[in-house]
Amino acid sequence: MMVSSADLFMKVRERKPLVHQITNFVTVNDCANATLAIGGSPVMTSSPREVADMVKLANALVLNFGTIDDKALEAMEIAGKTANALDIPVILDPVGVGATSYRTEQVKELLSKVTFQIIRGNASEILSLMGGDTVTRGVDSEELAISNAELAARAANELNSIIVVSGAKDAVSDGKHTSIIDNGNLLLTNVTGTGCMSTALIGTFSGVTDDFYSAAIAGISTMSISGELAASTLQKDEGTGTFHVRLIDAISRMDKKIWMHEVKLSEEVPN
């Protein structure tokens, strides 16, 4: 699995996949820059009147619930159904799901209409997709009395999608196999958009392969490793602003060699 993920870095640089993202206005610029930094080509079209045409040109579609409203939902449904019909991978980031009934109800309705190859969220968000009763405030699975790995495996089977659970230890599962990535730095939680950027990276890798499990591993681990590398360069008088810039720098420098040297990847053996 490590080799499969590592080989995707060169494919992204060579193919420059077009990643259509209907995302939130807080992090749209960060998502576009992360996509560019790893070698993809972002397009952030969100009008219901043109998303179908844009999806037809794309290699992957990312739907992000961060600042969801009725217009965005309409665009997401149109884009998602178009992508499904064309076998274009669709990735969901259920930002904030569980925080309000509107957000939770709408994401579940979208799940009933659109097939998602990959879903990435924190533990609370993923649990909410499964019908769990929790309020989303960046909660990690340690507070839910379940490991990220176990939650990812359960969710993958229930939601019939590859699941990525972000946290102190990221987990990726297809329901049969579960991988754990033990990289990252606490500063990633102090910069807006790192979760959204992670999903953008996953979408970019998904645009060059049909091995979505490997794409999910490559995407989430790239963010975690880049966070470590960016933090390691900070001086005492430098803070989160400098870290944010160096995070994009680290993503832009990521390649197979660096990734294989830095990644802390293991597979959870099912009971």
Side-chain angles (χ1 to χ4, degrees), residues 8-23:
L8 296 178
F9 289 89
M10 183 62 72
K11 289 184 179 180
V12 167
R13 300 289 183 189
E14 291 174 345
R15 300 182 189 179
K16 296 179 172 56
L18 182 65
V19 186
H20 183 182
Q21 302 175 56
I22 303 177
T23 188

Side-chain angles (χ1 to χ4, degrees), residues 9-86:
F9 289 89
M10 183 62 72
K11 289 184 179 180
V12 167
R13 300 289 183 189
E14 291 174 345
R15 300 182 189 179
K16 296 179 172 56
L18 182 65
V19 186
H20 183 182
Q21 302 175 56
I22 303 177
T23 188
N24 73 79
F25 56 72
V26 177
T27 64
V28 61
N29 185 61
D30 291 320
C31 292
N33 279 325
T35 303
L36 286 167
I38 201 63
S41 179
V43 60
M44 320 307 278
T45 299
S46 60
S47 170
R49 298 180 63 179
E50 68 169 341
V51 290
D53 288 337
M54 191 61 74
V55 168
K56 294 173 184 177
L57 304 175
N59 301 106
L61 172 67
V62 174
L63 304 181
N64 180 303
F65 256 61
T67 51
I68 197 66
D69 57 26
D70 289 350
K71 183 179 178 181
L73 283 166
E74 180 186 359
M76 288 182 182
E77 182 178 340
I78 294 169
K81 287 180 176 178
T82 303
N84 284 169
L86 297 172

Side-chain angles (χ1 to χ4, degrees), residues 167-185:
K169 291 185 179 182
D170 303 317
V172 179
S173 183
D174 62 3
K176 296 180 180 179
H177 304 91
T178 302
S179 294
I180 302 166
I181 300 100
D182 193 12
N183 293 95
N185 186 278

Side-chain angles (χ1 to χ4, degrees), residues 181-199:
I181 300 100
D182 193 12
N183 293 95
N185 186 278
L186 190 60
L187 281 173
L188 287 168
T189 65
N190 295 330
V191 176
T192 300
T194 54
C196 299
M197 285 189 277
S198 297
T199 309

